[in-house]
Amino acid sequence: SILLILSQCSVNSSVFTQEIMKWNGWGYSDSRFLFNKKGQAEFTGKRYRLSGMILPSLKDWFEGTFGASLQHKSPATVSAIYIYFFNAVQPPTLNEAFVEDLKSVGIPFSHDAEDRVFRAHGHCLHEIFALREGKVGRVPDLVVWPNCHNDVVKIVELACKHSVCLIPYGGGTSVSSALECPPEETRSIVSLDTSQMNRILWIDEKNLTAHVEAGIIGQDLERLLNENGYCTGHEPDSMEFSSLGGWVATRASGMKKNIYGNIEDLVVHIKMVTPRGVIEKSCLGPRMSTGPDIHHFIMGSEGTLGVVTEVTMKIRPMPEYQKYGSVVFPNFEQGVACLREVARQRCAPASIRLMDNEQFQFGHALKPQVSSIFTSFLDGLKKFYITKFKGFDPHHLCVATLLFEGNREKVLQHEKQVYDIAAKFGGLAAGEDNGQRGYMLTFVIAYLRDLGMDYYVIGESFETSVPWDRVLDICRNVKERIIRECKERGVQFPPLSTCRVTQTYDAGACVYFYFAFNYRGLSDPVHVYERVEHAAREEILANGGSLSHHHGVGKLRKEWMRETLSNVGMGMLKSVKDYVDPNNIFGNRNLL
Amino acid sequence: MAAKPPYSHRDPMLKKRDDFEDILEERRNSSDLRYALKCYTPVVYKGVTPNAASLLKTTVLQSDQLHYVVDQLSKETGVAADVIQEEASAILEEMAHRQQLSTVRFFAFTLSKAFKALFRSIHVNEEGIQRLQQAIQEHPVVLLPSHRSYMDFLLMSYILYTYDLVLPVIAAGMDFMGMKFVGEMLRMSGAFFIRRSFGGDKLYWTVFSEYVKTMLRNGMAPVEFFLEGTRSRTSKSLTPKLGLLNIVMDPFFKGEVFDVSLVPVSISYERILEETLYARELLGVPKPKESTSGLFKARKVLSEDYGSIHVYFGQPVSVRSLAQGKVNRCHFNLMPRHIPRRPSDETQCFVNDSAYSLVRAQEENMVLKPWVLLASLLLQNQSQGLLLDELTEQAVWLRGLSREYGAFLNWPDHMAPSEVVSSSLSLHRDLVKISGGRVQLALGGQAGPRQPCSSPITEEELMNQAVVVLSCTSYRNQALHVFLRPALLASAIHIATSAKKEEVYNSFSFLRNMLSNEFILCPGATLQDFEEACYLLGKTGALQMSQQEMQVTDSGQKTVNFLTAMLDPFLQGYQVVCRYLCEEATEALTEKQFIPAIRTFIVRLILAGSLRYYELLSSDLQKNALAALLRLGAIRKIKVADNVTLKVNRLMVNSLEDTLGGKLPTQKAVAARL
């Protein structure tokens, strides 16, 4: 069916990204964790460093941490076939006039159930959980694939003309319920998929900028620039799947922001199509004093004002040299103190992340089977040195992972500076390998959630930013709040409640919390999960943390916006929305 | 306060309380020395900071909080920062405890000997101990014992040592430090010393609060202090002091700890060691300065029988749960947390409410001995006394009533009531005399059998008799919290001009407000208290209520009479204070002169036979009355040179007096102002 409609149009093959992606889980279909017949964990596929490897300690960690058991399985209850062919999905409410006009301007579209369901969700736990159970709520009625800025202009015009609700869709990696269709929406909902707008339009080597269509996916952008010897350096954890437009719309942050900056530092020029017309600045000046920066109305607007179509962004020559590293600290307190000092001296490497003890142990559980006796002997020796000789308590020590970039000489110099600081806080260098594995984990951790869901374990991560002096307090209090809330809400097993500091700033840090629990014995696990996450967010706010560092607000965190921004602040945003989109064409109801 | 659940008519009789166990029993059967030298390995807080004890002082002296204040003071006064820092260091030296196990063991040994000599038993609720042990591991703990005796904190540490719990550090008044040797001993057993008043001294306050907070954050040991601030000389709970409670809650408000557990502890003495000492003090014999030699003179008390002690460790209260929905912790988001700030109104209100409910929690778990009931009855029958049989019969009646009202009564039900009565009387033989089968307060020797107690002739005689009466009231007062709300209602019905519910409520509200310096009455809980009182009186059949009216039943007359009589001395007392202020006080009356002057006035009235309650001579009542009138604005303080004079609004004082006496209806206007 999808082909029937699409065959009329020339659609680039990456429409079919969805065919190599899971429809009810994270990432590529070929890549997943599973417990094999021997009960050993392995990661399938060929895409990642971990792919095809056996992870001998994961099972024990998994069963020990969650009280889970390989005997108790909770596989997804429906196959794709059930959903798509037995009409679980509501038939589309089509705006015929809109569809006709769309046909006449030659923009490809589809109302196939699979296409619609695929674009009806992000990756919040409740969204994935529902899909696994075969539950589908309101989904877009139509998907359109504009090919360029002008296509978007046409679509938005038609949407205004026919009163259709537009929801921009980039990589679909939202974790704020931003892609959920408002159930109360009565108009036809059209998902505007930007995936066809994925070209680099030009590269300006004199000014080190590139002009890129906003639908491009992170890894493609990086790969294409790399071919020309450049990079953006913007590497959010989701970069395999998230899009440039999505980054702009959510104020994204990248792992290596210490060198390259966050999205707001990288962007030079933005073009966005709104119901009022196209908004863009008139020049590419690197900084302007022309009243409030209109880019800041666009960045973080979460699809409520229009569609970002093209972005001019800074590029850098590819780094000559990269080096991973890691440091073990006797405890989390010392680790945080070290990161704070690194930030004070403004000598943070491209990336510096500090995991707490639980994550350290988790990281260990993901160690692949070692190839030689020698490596395992070395590991044992290292462990002996750290715990026995240095006296680190294995239940308190924590690890920081580092990534240095630049020219070789400078990297080595920089590395020494950082390790010297770490030493003052009792930190011991723990090797490149541990560091590299830490970063690899970033990309596979989302796959692990799917494994958990096969065995009654659900979980998610959420983030905040917080002043330095509160980092330790917020970490302790939020983790404890999670544990207590789980207990009070009848969770039968102790949850995994852990955190890490993932970014350093002059005035504070970004903290990530991971939280998962075994839901056996609960009748409504998702509800419990949501209440706990809600409580955790309240705790974050009460401890001086922000509502979000980079995930955005979406619909998940809307309720706290007023207290976050003040009444006047809300009014300002509201009035911008009212001016730009008076008929709420961009009606995803995020943010406000 | 929307979150506060409406008062539920939970039957107070159904209150579940733990059983007790006598910790002296084992001491009487095994070696004290071995006990003092036992292996002591208490469980500690899971988040305890390693080396916290040794780093304590350094942590305080290097804290951002202290640095900030030192810098500020240095800027304000021009004194060099390091000089002020030195001063801070000296303050900390003077304050800090130096707990060491050897001293604790010494106390464990000597106190065992002393306790066995003084007391028949020390009862402790073991379940409470278990709860405490649990709490200590989970969160920083604050112990909040009631304060009736010097004994209290030694006793607390003794019990914790016995049960292998972490010994607390205790906030003690500086006056203890005056006792050279003992002061140091107490310090080594875990006491730290705070000056009684340091109102404006920012540096002192900072060092002090940082010291307490550091101990709490580190979680090395429970912090113990007395919510009431000082020993209650009257056995009534005192209006809680908020300073320390504010300090221990602060780390939670600021997110420095996940939670703080507050554990109210109720210590009840069957016979208070300081019994007559307190009475004399209340009558104006100044409190002897604590001195080591004084303590040794007190050795004669060792030869007396002080009955038993009951210590009840209440349910730990989580500050986090208390504050849920009442305190917005985001308040601290926009400023560095080390910069001192006045707590917000919301926070102050919360701390105040919490303090009241904690004191009420202490009250609720106070064990009452039969003697408390006997003292109440004897005080109401001072002139005639009661025949032993009558007394027994009434005591049994009162036993029933107090249980209905939820009293934690320790009445040995296996004994015949007459036996219970006579054994109680014998323990308190200093206060009662029995002649010709008639039981009376022991007011001087000359009153013969069947003869009304003769009026005193001289002031000295009067004072001696008053000592006995006040000693006795201190026992009755232990039961006041049980009867207080129904008694307020009974008195309100008595003074109200009609039986209309609304009128009665107005009177109730007036009385409650008037007496809120006297008793523990949570601010803002008038309606709740009224409903509770109605429920209790209704439940026992003393009161009949229709939609509009409330009427005392015939069978309830006895209860209502008893209740009104219980409150009557207080109402009379406040009226006398009012009368004095209207009739006798001069324009130049200073605050300092007030107590002696009012005492002279009352002595005169009693000697003239126009006043019968000796307990009005209690300076506690007089001070409370003054405080109430100041609070209501009937008196204003005016500072003249070094003196504070009292400016009396005669019209208002007069009308308050009349309203108290039931001569004037509780005016809406008055009620509204209150």
Side-chain angles (χ1 to χ4, degrees):
Chain A
S1 53
I2 174 178
L3 295 177
L4 285 181
I5 296 169
L6 292 180
S7 59
Q8 315 165 5
C9 335
S10 62
V11 168
N12 162 332
S13 66
S14 65
V15 166
F16 305 113
T17 311
Q18 72 191 58
E19 302 206 319
I20 56 166
M21 304 274 289
K22 293 193 193 80
W23 67 273
N24 64 354
W26 178 262
Y28 299 107
S29 306
D30 58 14
S31 302
R32 62 193 218 91
F33 283 96
L34 53 81
F35 287 113
N36 61 25
K37 293 208 173 84
K38 286 192 221 155
Q40 284 175 316
E42 57 178 274
F43 191 52
T44 64
K46 294 198 181 89
R47 295 172 188 273
Y48 299 89
R49 235 181 66 148
L50 212 56
S51 298
M53 292 207 190
I54 301 279
L55 313 163
S57 13
L58 186 59
K59 173 176 174 271
D60 286 347
W61 177 85
F62 183 71
E63 293 189 330
T65 305
F66 297 107
S69 154
L70 299 197
Q71 316 310 316
H72 300 297
K73 289 202 74 177
S74 56
T77 52
V78 283
S79 67
I81 295 169
Y82 176 84
I83 282 203
Y84 301 135
F85 297 111
F86 289 86
N87 295 330
V89 182
Q90 290 257 319
T93 316
L94 293 178
N95 183 318
E96 295 299 342
F98 176 79
V99 175
E100 281 311 309
D101 279 357
L102 211 53
K103 270 185 195 155
S104 67
V105 294
I107 296 173
F109 61 88
S110 154
H111 51 71
D112 178 90
E114 184 177 343
D115 294 330
R116 289 162 54 218
V117 170
F118 195 82
R119 285 159 188 80
H121 67 85
H123 283 271
C124 287
L125 175 84
H126 67 268
E127 294 172 315
I128 299 301
F129 198 92
L131 285 174
R132 286 172 62 97
E133 300 227 298
K135 289 180 189 146
V136 179
R138 178 87 155 96
V139 305
D141 300 298
L142 197 73
V143 182
V144 294
W145 284 272
N147 193 43
C148 60
H149 171 79
N150 285 337
D151 281 358
V152 176
V153 172
K154 286 177 200 156
I155 293 168
V156 173
E157 273 170 13
L158 292 180
C160 293
K161 181 174 161 200
H162 299 294
S163 187
V164 158
C165 171
L166 287 179
I167 298 185
Y169 181 89
T173 56
S174 152
V175 282
S176 59
S177 299
L179 290 168
E180 264 176 33
C181 298
E184 66 272 31
E185 180 61 64
T186 52
R187 297 171 294 185
S188 179
I189 298 180
V190 174
S191 176
L192 189 153
D193 186 321
T194 58
S195 62
Q196 304 312 302
M197 301 164 35
N198 58 3
R199 285 154 293 226
I200 295 177
L201 297 176
W202 48 254
I203 292 175
D204 177 350
E205 301 191 86
K206 290 205 181 68
N207 294 307
L208 286 180
T209 52
H211 191 65
V212 188
E213 288 183 315
I216 196 165
I217 299 302
Q219 58 172 335
D220 298 334
L221 173 61
E222 230 38 30
R223 195 190 60 246
L224 292 173
L225 285 173
N226 286 176
E227 284 167 10
N228 292 283
Y230 294 103
C231 67
T232 62
H234 185 69
E235 295 185 13
D237 290 0
S238 60
M239 70 174 289
E240 291 174 282
F241 309 109
S242 56
S243 68
L244 171 57
W247 300 338
V248 171
T250 54
R251 292 183 66 86
S253 169
M255 177 179 105
K256 298 195 289 196
K257 72 93 193 154
N258 292 334
I259 294 183
Y260 302 97
N262 286 319
I263 195 71
E264 68 272 23
D265 311 305
L266 286 164
V267 153
V268 177
H269 183 271
I270 306 173
K271 203 188 265 186
M272 178 166 78
V273 181
T274 77
R276 282 269 175 197
V278 175
I279 175 172
E280 65 179 321
K281 291 186 190 174
S282 66
C283 68
L284 297 178
R287 183 182 186 275
M288 299 186 205
S289 174
T290 48
D293 190 338
I294 53 165
H295 282 173
H296 286 286
F297 288 122
I298 299 169
M299 285 188 286
S301 58
E302 304 194 357
T304 57
L305 299 179
V307 190
V308 177
T309 54
E310 289 171 18
V311 177
T312 309
M313 70 191 298
K314 301 179 195 170
I315 55 172
R316 299 289 305 164
M318 280 170 71
E320 181 183 307
Y321 187 64
Q322 265 198 342
K323 192 173 182 190
Y324 289 98
S326 64
V327 183
V328 180
F329 293 97
N331 55 48
F332 191 64
E333 289 76 8
Q334 293 283 68
V336 171
C338 173
L339 261 62
R340 204 282 160 263
E341 184 57 30
V342 165
R344 193 195 313 276
Q345 295 192 22
R346 290 197 170 166
C347 64
S351 168
I352 178 166
R353 289 178 169 177
L354 178 75
M355 307 184 219
D356 69 1
N357 182 262
E358 289 85 352
Q359 279 199 34
F360 166 75
Q361 303 200 10
F362 173 37
H364 258 253
L366 288 168
K367 266 196 170 175
Q369 202 159 34
V370 286
S371 40
S372 71
I373 296 180
F374 181 67
T375 337
S376 96
F377 172 73
L378 266 186
D379 279 353
L381 212 61
K382 264 190 249 164
K383 193 175 167 193
F384 178 82
Y385 176 72
I386 288 174
T387 58
K388 295 294 181 310
F389 191 72
K390 282 291 178 178
F392 284 16
D393 180 345
H395 296 288
H396 284 124
L397 61 79
C398 72
V399 63
T401 58
L402 310 167
L403 173 60
F404 298 92
E405 262 188 29
N407 75 43
R408 195 171 181 309
E409 197 186 334
K410 276 197 184 141
V411 162
L412 297 179
Q413 214 180 344
H414 193 178
E415 190 185 23
K416 183 173 182 315
Q417 187 187 7
V418 172
Y419 282 123
D420 284 350
I421 294 174
K424 284 190 200 136
F425 297 91
L428 297 172
E432 285 183 65
D433 223 41
N434 280 319
Q436 191 166 9
R437 197 172 41 250
Y439 288 102
M440 172 200 65
L441 273 185
T442 303
F443 295 105
V444 299
I445 199 161
Y447 286 102
L448 268 168
R449 185 172 76 179
D450 294 336
L451 176 71
M453 284 205 267
D454 286 339
Y455 295 92
Y456 288 97
V457 173
I458 51 175
E460 181 128 80
S461 61
F462 43 88
E463 40 73 52
T464 186
S465 57
V466 65
W468 278 115
D469 70 316
R470 287 180 170 272
V471 170
L472 283 176
D473 290 331
I474 207 170
C475 289
R476 181 194 50 241
N477 291 348
V478 173
K479 288 199 289 185
E480 176 120 22
R481 179 77 182 262
I482 288 170
I483 292 170
R484 188 194 266 211
E485 292 285 335
C486 279
K487 206 169 167 186
E488 281 171 11
R489 295 176 193 281
V491 176
Q492 311 279 313
F493 305 88
L496 173 70
S497 175
T498 151
C499 70
R500 64 182 185 194
V501 180
T502 61
Q503 289 290 8
T504 62
Y505 291 88
D506 287 349
C510 168
V511 179
Y512 244 89
F513 294 95
Y514 292 82
F515 146 54
F517 63 87
N518 180 342
Y519 67 84
R520 287 189 66 214
L522 296 180
S523 59
D524 191 351
V526 171
H527 178 73
V528 171
Y529 170 81
E530 285 174 339
R531 293 328 296 163
V532 177
E533 188 189 329
H534 189 272
R537 181 59 61 181
E538 302 250 87
E539 192 64 32
I540 286 172
L541 299 177
N543 282 275
S546 64
L547 188 52
S548 171
H549 169 263
H550 61 273
H551 281 176
V553 176
K555 289 178 271 290
L556 195 60
R557 286 175 276 274
K558 246 167 97 163
E559 64 179 286
W560 291 289
M561 274 298 270
R562 190 167 291 276
E563 65 183 272
T564 299
L565 299 184
S566 79
N567 284 328
V568 178
M570 276 296 270
M572 285 170 89
L573 294 189
K574 192 87 186 30
S575 66
V576 169
K577 166 79 179 171
D578 289 346
Y579 171 75
V580 174
D581 183 16
N583 298 316
N584 196 28
I585 295 300
F586 289 90
N588 59 17
R589 303 194 194 217
N590 291 336
L591 211 59
L592 295 176
Chain B
M1 290 295 121
K4 196 178 267 179
Y7 175 72
S8 60
H9 294 306
R10 195 167 53 99
D11 197 321
M13 261 185 105
L14 300 177
K15 257 175 220 153
K16 166 111 182 61
R17 282 160 179 139
D18 307 336
D19 294 331
F20 285 104
E21 139 132 355
D22 178 13
I23 60 167
L24 281 189
E25 200 176 300
E26 205 193 321
R27 295 277 46 68
R28 295 192 205 278
N29 299 322
S30 68
S31 155
D32 287 337
L33 193 61
R34 197 174 305 143
Y35 161 78
L37 296 175
K38 72 171 180 170
C39 171
Y40 168 72
T41 48
V43 294
V44 292
Y45 170 50
K46 65 177 180 199
V48 71
T49 319
N51 308 324
S54 57
L55 294 175
L56 175 59
K57 283 186 200 168
T58 337
T59 314
V60 174
L61 290 175
Q62 292 176 355
S63 65
D64 295 339
Q65 287 79 351
L66 185 59
H67 279 257
Y68 181 85
V69 171
V70 166
D71 282 353
Q72 281 248 310
L73 288 173
S74 170
K75 275 179 204 145
E76 278 168 25
T77 59
V79 179
D82 50 348
V83 174
I84 301 177
Q85 182 75 25
E86 274 304 303
E87 209 181 308
S89 182
I91 293 173
L92 187 59
E93 248 354 273
E94 176 195 271
M95 183 177 329
H97 77 83
R98 280 197 290 279
Q99 196 174 61
Q100 43 175 261
L101 198 55
S102 55
T103 313
V104 171
R105 292 191 190 282
F106 167 79
F107 270 112
F109 181 75
T110 47
L111 287 177
S112 292
K113 299 289 180 206
F115 286 159
K116 282 189 283 185
L118 287 168
F119 305 108
R120 294 180 191 170
S121 57
I122 299 175
H123 290 286
V124 178
N125 64 326
E126 284 209 335
E127 283 164 68
I129 292 285
Q130 281 159 15
R131 288 190 297 256
L132 176 60
Q133 187 176 21
Q134 193 64 39
I136 284 176
Q137 293 171 65
E138 280 174 11
H139 302 295
V141 165
V142 178
L143 290 167
L144 300 168
S146 59
H147 203 10
R148 302 287 174 269
S149 167
Y150 275 142
M151 224 56 205
D152 291 328
F153 77 79
L154 288 174
L155 180 64
M156 284 289 291
S157 298
Y158 184 82
I159 295 170
L160 266 58
Y161 174 80
T162 304
Y163 285 103
D164 230 10
L165 294 176
V166 192
L167 292 174
V169 283
I170 308 121
M174 204 68 141
D175 28 14
F176 273 114
M177 235 177 62
M179 302 189 270
K180 275 179 209 122
F181 175 67
V182 174
E184 281 317 294
M185 286 295 284
L186 294 178
R187 201 193 277 279
M188 286 188 281
S189 75
F192 63 93
F193 295 101
I194 38 178
R195 296 178 191 162
R196 279 276 174 226
S197 59
F198 45 90
D201 191 338
K202 264 195 214 164
L203 187 65
Y204 192 89
W205 173 262
T206 310
V207 173
F208 165 56
S209 63
E210 261 321 284
Y211 181 66
V212 176
K213 286 185 212 171
T214 306
M215 290 190 288
L216 211 71
R217 287 186 209 118
N218 294 344
M220 13 190 266
V223 173
E224 176 180 314
F225 68 90
F226 299 104
L227 262 178
E228 298 164 284
T230 181
R231 288 170 299 150
S232 165
R233 271 68 167 169
T234 58
S235 286
K236 278 185 302 170
S237 296
L238 303 178
T239 307
K241 302 276 180 294
L242 305 181
L244 257 162
L245 192 60
N246 243 317
I247 290 175
V248 299
M249 285 180 162
D250 195 60
F252 167 72
F253 296 146
K254 290 185 175 157
E256 294 161 343
V257 295
F258 182 75
D259 200 354
V260 174
S261 295
L262 307 173
V263 182
V265 183
S266 315
I267 308 177
S268 3
Y269 295 90
E270 186 168 14
R271 214 184 133 198
I272 302 161
L273 289 159
E274 294 99 327
E275 184 182 88
T276 48
L277 215 62
Y278 286 159
R280 286 183 192 285
E281 199 185 313
L282 290 171
L283 290 168
V285 185
K287 163 181 164 187
K289 196 165 188 286
E290 279 83 358
S291 71
T292 308
S293 61
L295 201 80
F296 284 119
K297 269 179 213 149
R299 248 168 50 106
K300 88 165 179 59
V301 301
L302 282 177
S303 55
E304 297 231 5
D305 178 1
Y306 286 90
S308 57
I309 304 176
H310 284 83
V311 183
Y312 195 97
F313 288 83
Q315 201 63 247
V317 177
S318 142
V319 174
R320 178 175 276 269
S321 321
L322 274 184
Q324 176 79 42
K326 293 185 186 153
V327 175
N328 182 1
R329 285 182 287 155
C330 295
H331 183 63
F332 295 98
N333 283 359
L334 296 181
M335 245 171 104
R337 290 171 294 172
H338 66 265
I339 297 179
R341 279 174 89 183
R342 185 176 287 280
S344 66
D345 289 350
E346 175 193 73
T347 311
Q348 268 174 323
C349 182
F350 167 72
V351 175
N352 192 45
D353 286 352
S354 307
Y356 271 89
S357 59
L358 287 162
V359 173
R360 279 205 71 186
Q362 287 175 354
E363 284 185 337
E364 273 196 359
N365 292 324
M366 285 281 200
V367 168
L368 305 182
K369 285 297 203 172
W371 164 247
V372 168
L373 304 184
L374 301 181
S376 311
L377 292 165
L378 289 171
L379 278 167
Q380 292 195 10
N381 296 279
Q382 239 177 83
S383 50
Q384 297 290 332
L386 285 164
L387 288 171
L388 196 53
D389 289 348
E390 273 176 345
L391 180 62
T392 309
E393 186 193 321
Q394 297 233 25
V396 170
W397 168 78
L398 192 53
R399 177 185 68 180
L401 187 69
S402 60
R403 280 185 176 157
E404 289 278 357
Y405 288 179
F408 195 2
L409 190 62
N410 187 256
W411 182 292
D413 283 310
H414 59 277
M415 280 163 71
S418 58
E419 262 179 84
V420 175
V421 169
S422 48
S423 95
S424 296
L425 293 176
S426 99
L427 185 66
H428 297 276
R429 55 184 164 271
D430 295 354
L431 301 179
V432 282
K433 61 177 180 197
I434 309 172
S435 43
R438 189 165 279 274
V439 188
Q440 270 179 301
L441 295 187
L443 305 176
Q446 69 271 61
R450 281 166 204 286
Q451 213 179 312
C453 181
S454 56
S455 302
I457 301 142
T458 66
E459 190 175 333
E460 198 193 335
E461 240 175 68
L462 168 62
M463 283 303 178
N464 284 336
Q465 295 186 3
V467 167
V468 174
V469 173
L470 284 188
S471 300
C472 237
T473 57
S474 79
Y475 292 100
R476 176 207 59 196
N477 288 348
Q478 291 181 19
L480 269 176
H481 69 92
V482 176
F483 298 107
L484 178 61
R485 284 156 191 82
L488 281 171
L489 180 57
S491 305
I493 292 171
H494 186 69
I495 64 167
T497 42
S498 82
K500 277 207 183 117
K501 200 168 175 180
E502 197 189 320
E503 296 258 359
V504 175
Y505 179 75
N506 282 342
S507 297
F508 179 88
S509 169
F510 167 79
L511 287 177
R512 188 184 178 282
N513 190 25
M514 198 72 209
L515 294 173
S516 64
N517 292 71
E518 195 71 45
F519 308 116
I520 300 301
L521 292 160
C522 305
T526 310
L527 185 61
Q528 196 178 322
D529 282 348
F530 182 72
E531 284 175 355
E532 184 180 330
C534 291
Y535 171 70
L536 291 176
L537 278 180
K539 177 180 106 152
T540 49
L543 203 62
Q544 230 165 20
M545 274 165 294
S546 65
Q547 208 64 322
Q548 306 291 330
E549 305 233 314
M550 27 196 10
Q551 211 80 51
V552 176
T553 61
D554 290 341
S555 61
Q557 208 57 54
K558 184 175 179 181
T559 307
V560 169
N561 287 347
F562 170 80
L563 292 173
T564 7
M566 196 167 218
L567 221 47
D568 195 45
F570 297 97
L571 299 182
Q572 293 288 337
Y574 278 53
Q575 287 175 65
V576 169
V577 170
C578 289
R579 195 182 319 154
Y580 168 76
L581 289 171
C582 288
E583 292 170 9
E584 305 264 325
T586 62
E587 286 291 319
L589 177 69
T590 66
E591 199 180 4
K592 274 187 200 144
Q593 291 164 343
F594 173 76
I595 295 290
I598 186 88
R599 185 186 300 128
T600 314
F601 182 66
I602 294 172
V603 165
R604 211 173 70 209
L605 291 180
I606 295 178
L607 288 177
S610 53
L611 200 61
R612 59 194 174 104
Y613 292 124
Y614 294 5
E615 63 178 285
L616 268 48
L617 287 164
S618 160
S619 59
D620 180 65
L621 182 140
Q622 296 153 4
K623 280 179 198 157
N624 290 337
L626 181 67
L629 294 171
L630 281 164
R631 174 170 48 87
L632 299 177
I635 305 178
R636 275 183 305 132
K637 282 188 189 180
I638 292 175
K639 213 169 168 178
V640 183
D642 283 343
N643 286 321
V644 177
T645 61
L646 300 172
K647 174 112 180 69
V648 181
N649 175 342
R650 287 206 159 68
L651 202 66
M652 189 166 172
V653 171
N654 208 350
S655 95
L656 287 172
E657 184 194 347
D658 287 347
T659 318
L660 277 169
K663 292 178 207 155
L664 207 66
T666 322
Q667 292 156 346
K668 283 268 163 58
V670 177
R673 291 202 50 172
L674 303 183

